[in-house]
Amino acid sequence: DQQVKQNSPSLSVQEGRISILNCDYTNSMFDYFLWYKKYPAEGPTFLISISSIKDKNEDGRFTVFLNKSAKHLSLHIVPSQPGDSAVYFCAAYNSGTYKYIFGTGTRLKVLA
Amino acid sequence: NAGVTQTPKFRVLKTGQSMTLLCAQDMNHEYMYWYRQDPGMGLRLIHYSVGEGTTAKGEVPDGYNVSRLKKQNFLLGLESAAPSQTSVYFCASRTGAGANVLTFGAGSRLTVL
C-alpha cells in the first residue's frame, strides 16, 4: 500500500527551462509535506516543505504547490540548472504518528 | 558539528550473521528514524523513536530490531541477516518541536551474501 507515489521515475529537462516533479498521496492525515534531493552516495538533503494549511511555498528557484482536494503536490524548479540533476523524493508527515513516508523518487536530469 | 553520523559506511555479511548499525547525532534531536533505500522502492521506514527509551515500528520492521538507550544514539540490529536485507540504510533525526525537517546521515551500504 503505497501511500506516497511518484509516478515518473525519470525526467529530462533542458537547462534554463522549468522542471516539474509530481507526487500523489492517499492518506488525508498527512499534515506536512517535504521535498528532498539526493546525489549518489550521499544522504538526502532537505529542499523545501509545505504545511497542509497552505497551497504554495516558494524558496528561490524552488516552489512547491499543494492541492489537498486532489491529494497532489508538485515541485517546480525555475530555471533548471545542471547541478539540479539528482533524485528527488517527496515525503509526507503525519504528526499523529510521527511517521515520514517517502515516495519512490524521480531522477531529474538537466541537460546543458 | 557533525550532524548525523552512521557507522559503518560499508559492510558485507554472510547469511545468518548478525550486526548492528549505529546512528549518532550531536544536535540534541528528540526523534530518530531508520530507512532503507532499494532500487524502485524509494525510502522505506523501518523503525523510529520519538525519545530516549522509546521505539516504534515503521513500514518494514520485520527482521530488524532497534534500541534508543541514549538520546544521541539509535541502533539498528539485524539478528540473522538475509540477502533481502541487502540495501542502503539511512538514519535521520529531527528536533521534537518546531520545524519538521529530517536531517539524514550519509548512509550505510550493507550487502548480505
Side-chain angles (χ1 to χ4, degrees), chain A residues 2 32 34 36 38 41-44 46 89 93 97-105, chain B residues 31 33 35 37 40-43 45 48 50 57 59 90 94 100-102 104-106:
Chain A
Q2 191 77 24
Y32 203 77
L34 309 91
Y36 280 81
K38 187 183 180 305
E42 295 183 9
F46 171 72
F89 291 100
Y93 177 63
T97 64
Y98 307 104
K99 289 182 181 179
Y100 291 79
I101 305 300
F102 282 76
T104 52
Chain B
Y31 301 171
Y33 299 77
Y35 288 87
Q37 185 193 8
M41 305 294 287
L43 292 161
L45 180 62
Y48 63 103
V50 297
K57 293 180 179 180
E59 302 170 278
F90 289 99
R94 57 156 278 196
N100 294 316
V101 175
L102 285 178
F104 279 86

Side-chain angles (χ1 to χ4, degrees), chain A residues 30-78:
Chain A
F30 291 135
D31 46 14
Y32 203 77
F33 302 90
L34 309 91
W35 284 94
Y36 280 81
K37 178 179 181 180
K38 187 183 180 305
Y39 292 117
E42 295 183 9
T45 55
F46 171 72
L47 199 54
I48 192 169
S49 62
I50 188 168
S51 165
S52 61
I53 62 173
K54 297 187 175 182
D55 54 18
K56 178 182 175 181
N57 187 29
E58 192 170 356
D59 183 2
R61 297 186 297 113
F62 303 92
T63 303
V64 56
F65 295 92
L66 176 62
N67 182 334
K68 282 187 67 176
S69 61
K71 294 190 174 66
H72 176 82
L73 64 155
S74 61
L75 173 68
H76 292 210
I77 306 173
V78 184

Side-chain angles (χ1 to χ4, degrees), chain B residues 14-103:
Chain B
K14 294 182 179 179
T15 297
Q17 288 185 318
S18 63
M19 76 157 296
T20 300
L21 296 175
L22 170 64
C23 177
Q25 51 90 8
D26 60 2
M27 300 173 284
N28 200 35
H29 282 174
E30 287 292 332
Y31 301 171
M32 297 186 74
Y33 299 77
W34 275 108
Y35 288 87
R36 60 178 288 175
Q37 185 193 8
D38 303 291
M41 305 294 287
L43 292 161
R44 292 183 291 169
L45 180 62
I46 305 172
H47 286 281
Y48 63 103
S49 167
V50 297
E52 181 179 312
T54 74
T55 62
K57 293 180 179 180
E59 302 170 278
V60 288
D62 294 342
Y64 304 95
N65 56 75
V66 287
S67 64
R68 183 100 182 267
L69 298 179
K70 293 183 178 180
K71 185 178 182 178
Q72 63 267 34
N73 294 338
F74 194 29
L75 278 64
L76 178 70
L78 286 72
E79 290 185 348
S80 179
S84 61
Q85 295 177 304
T86 294
S87 188
V88 181
Y89 292 85
F90 289 99
C91 176
S93 70
R94 57 156 278 196
T95 183
N100 294 316
V101 175
L102 285 178
T103 300

